Structures are given as C-alpha cells and as structure tokens.
Amino acid sequence: MSVNKEWPVRWDLLLRYRLIEIISFWEGRLTTNHLIDAFGIGRQQASRDINAYIREFAPENLVYDTKLKGYKPGAKFRPIFTQGVADEYLQVLATQQDLASTFASLQPSIILTETLTPPLRDLRPEVLAPITQAAREKKRVEICYSSLRNPEPEYRMIQPHTVIFNGHRWHVRAFCEQKMIYSDFVLSRISDKPELTLVGDNTAEKDEAWQTIVELVICPDPRLNTAQKALIARDYGMTDGVLKISTRGALVAYILQNMRLEGELASTPPEVQQIFLQNRAKIKKWLFGQD
C-alpha cells in the first residue's frame, strides 16, 4: 500500500477506500451497493465516500460508465490504498459481509497472529473483470484457453456463472459450448482478454453438479488407536467422531484435495493420513476423473 502513514485517513474510511479500489480493479465495476452491503452504510454516505476518494486521492482512477451503471477503472488507474494483488480481492470475498463489525474494534498496530498462504497463481484483472461481468449479465464470452491435455491455446466459447477460489488457484465454473458440458476453467490459463458476446441461457440453474448438494462424511483414520481418534476428532470439531461437510457436487474434489483426501493410500501411515472419507463410494461420481 502506497499511502503515507501520516495521512489523516480514519480507519473506517481507509477500509472503504480499499474496498473501492479492490472491487473496481478486479471486477471492473463499482457501485454504491458494494459499500452499502459491506459496511452497512446509507446510499448517500456510500456516494460521498466514492466521490471523496476520487476528488481527494485518485482523480484518474475511476470513470462513471452509464452502460455499466457504475464506476470502472480509468485508463491511468493506479492503486493508492492497495497493492493491486489478487489475494486482496480474495480477502474481500471472504470478509465483505462482516467488515464493519469485525474491524471496528481492531488495533492495526498490534499484530499477534500470522497467516500462511500458498503462492497464488497468475490472476490478471483484464481476465477476471470481463469474466465476472459476463457472469453478472449472463453473457457468453470467448476465451483463448490452454490446458494440460491441450497445451496449445485454442478459442472456446463459454458462459460463466461463478468465479471460485479453491484455496490454491482461481477458476470459473462455466458452460463450454465446444464440449457441451459445464466445466471448470483455470483463470491463469486464459491467455487473452475475454470478449463478451450475446446473452446465453446456460445459467447456474442448469448446472447439475453446481445445484446438487453433497454431504462428505469424514472421520479419524480407522487405523489410529482410541486415544488418537479422540484427539483427531477434537482437532476437527467432530460430533460423535464424525465431521459432516455439505458442499456443491462441483466443489467436492477441491475440498478433498485441500484436506488431502482425494485418494487415501494404504502405504500412508495413519499418523500422517489422520482422517478418512467414510462415504467415498457414495460421492465417487463427483471426483475428478470419475464417471
């Protein structure tokens, strides 16, 4: 963040200005609703905050677009209150519902915790912004995409409905018109600037894997002894030795990857494995590479 620490910016305003920059930069569209929903303020206050940000700190950063009915980044956009990195956007997605109540009593000069995050994959605003716009407006979008199976870039027509961060990388859930299925597209593998086209009818409501809620049943590794099982159950907040996680079918594999449960191996010591997926056979269809 490039703001001078001696600038007389109140903590609450600093958070609002950061949100203004992050949303406009990464989504390509900022409205007063973003501030209203995140901070619980009125529309007039939200409008004053945006105007104050433009007038006092960044005259060239935001431009009002009548078609978008909101502000978009100016051609000379330069982050003032943020660093312009993807994990800032991720943090907003994770905390935007309770920013006001959570941060009202924080003392930013006192840091008693440290959070480790994995290296983030490449994520460019010129890719994310049109993708989120297409999802918001239910439009189809043309992308130039590469995959491990087909590393040579090829053009695809997709209709995105949700952008997802799986803990390690960003991808978008979308209908692929080439394969005629809903699939996941890694945003860092889109090599051009996506081009929006016409409105499509392959929305999230038609995505079976997205609409199906799946329950994962996780327990301590059966090979552990009774005391070890009790310890693992306490670690994971299990009830009666079981942890139940409800998620969308399309996200099952990602959750199991993050929990190192995508495929338990008999050769892995129970002290390393620690947990076990009880209902693997029932949820098998939602795993990568399964029918």
Side-chain angles (χ1 to χ4, degrees):
M1 187 172 70
S2 58
V3 174
N4 188 310
K5 293 182 180 180
E6 297 180 356
W7 281 7
V9 179
R10 299 199 318 266
W11 180 240
D12 58 332
L13 284 178
L14 178 62
L15 291 175
R16 295 179 202 175
Y17 293 159
R18 284 176 58 82
L19 185 70
I20 287 172
E21 283 192 353
I22 292 169
I23 293 298
S24 59
F25 185 60
W26 288 105
E27 293 194 1
R29 176 177 177 263
L30 171 79
T31 69
T32 53
N33 284 336
H34 286 108
L35 297 179
I36 293 170
D37 294 340
F39 298 99
I41 60 178
R43 191 169 303 279
Q44 288 186 343
Q45 181 62 55
S47 181
R48 284 197 294 268
D49 289 341
I50 294 174
N51 289 329
Y53 168 82
I54 296 173
R55 181 180 63 253
E56 299 176 18
F57 301 105
E60 298 182 316
N61 272 9
L62 299 180
V63 177
Y64 190 81
D65 189 311
T66 55
K67 292 183 179 180
L68 291 178
K69 296 182 179 179
Y71 293 88
K72 67 179 182 181
K76 297 183 179 180
F77 185 96
R78 182 176 66 86
I80 302 296
F81 294 93
T82 60
Q83 296 177 5
V85 295
D87 59 337
E88 292 173 327
Y89 180 59
L90 171 63
Q91 291 168 8
V92 166
L93 294 181
T95 62
Q96 62 182 347
Q97 297 302 318
D98 60 354
L99 276 175
S101 59
T102 300
F103 289 106
S105 60
L106 281 185
Q107 298 295 326
S109 60
I110 303 176
I111 301 176
L112 302 176
T113 62
E114 185 73 27
T115 301
L116 300 181
T117 58
L120 295 178
R121 307 291 181 90
D122 173 60
L123 181 64
R124 290 164 288 131
E126 57 265 29
V127 169
L128 181 60
I131 290 293
T132 55
Q133 181 183 348
R136 182 172 60 246
E137 299 176 0
K138 295 180 169 57
K139 288 186 176 180
R140 300 156 63 235
V141 59
E142 185 179 48
I143 62 174
C144 188
Y145 190 74
S146 303
S147 66
L148 289 179
R149 182 172 298 179
N150 298 297
E152 291 298 322
E154 62 177 353
Y155 283 96
R156 303 269 195 101
M157 186 68 71
I158 66 173
Q159 184 177 342
H161 65 68
T162 308
V163 174
I164 303 161
F165 181 71
N166 67 6
H168 297 279
R169 67 184 185 186
W170 295 82
H171 66 270
V172 61
R173 184 74 180 173
F175 182 80
C176 177
E177 296 188 8
Q178 176 178 317
K179 297 184 177 180
M180 298 302 291
I181 60 172
Y182 286 91
S183 187
D184 298 340
F185 295 87
V186 181
L187 294 182
S188 61
R189 295 176 181 171
I190 298 176
S191 57
D192 66 340
K193 181 178 180 180
E195 294 291 336
L196 274 67
T197 61
L198 301 175
V199 172
D201 58 2
N202 292 301
T203 60
E205 289 71 25
K206 295 183 179 180
D207 186 347
E208 178 189 359
W210 187 258
Q211 296 299 331
T212 302
I213 301 301
V214 178
E215 185 175 72
L216 306 177
V217 182
I218 298 168
C219 66
D221 191 307
R223 297 171 294 174
L224 296 172
N225 63 40
T226 301
Q228 290 172 324
K229 289 179 182 178
L231 180 62
I232 297 302
R234 187 165 67 247
D235 284 347
Y236 284 85
M238 296 180 180
T239 301
D240 296 326
V242 172
L243 173 65
K244 295 181 179 180
I245 301 176
S246 293
T247 187
R248 299 181 185 274
L251 302 179
V252 166
Y254 296 114
I255 291 178
L256 294 183
Q257 281 183 338
N258 288 344
M259 300 186 76
R260 297 188 300 177
L261 285 173
E262 64 269 31
E264 302 101 327
L265 299 176
S267 60
T268 303
E271 293 81 7
V272 175
Q273 186 64 51
Q274 298 189 359
I275 54 177
F276 179 80
L277 178 62
Q278 270 190 354
N279 62 335
R280 180 175 297 277
K282 187 175 181 179
I283 59 92
K284 184 178 179 180
K285 68 174 292 186
W286 305 112
L287 301 179
F288 292 140
Q290 304 294 325
D291 295 328

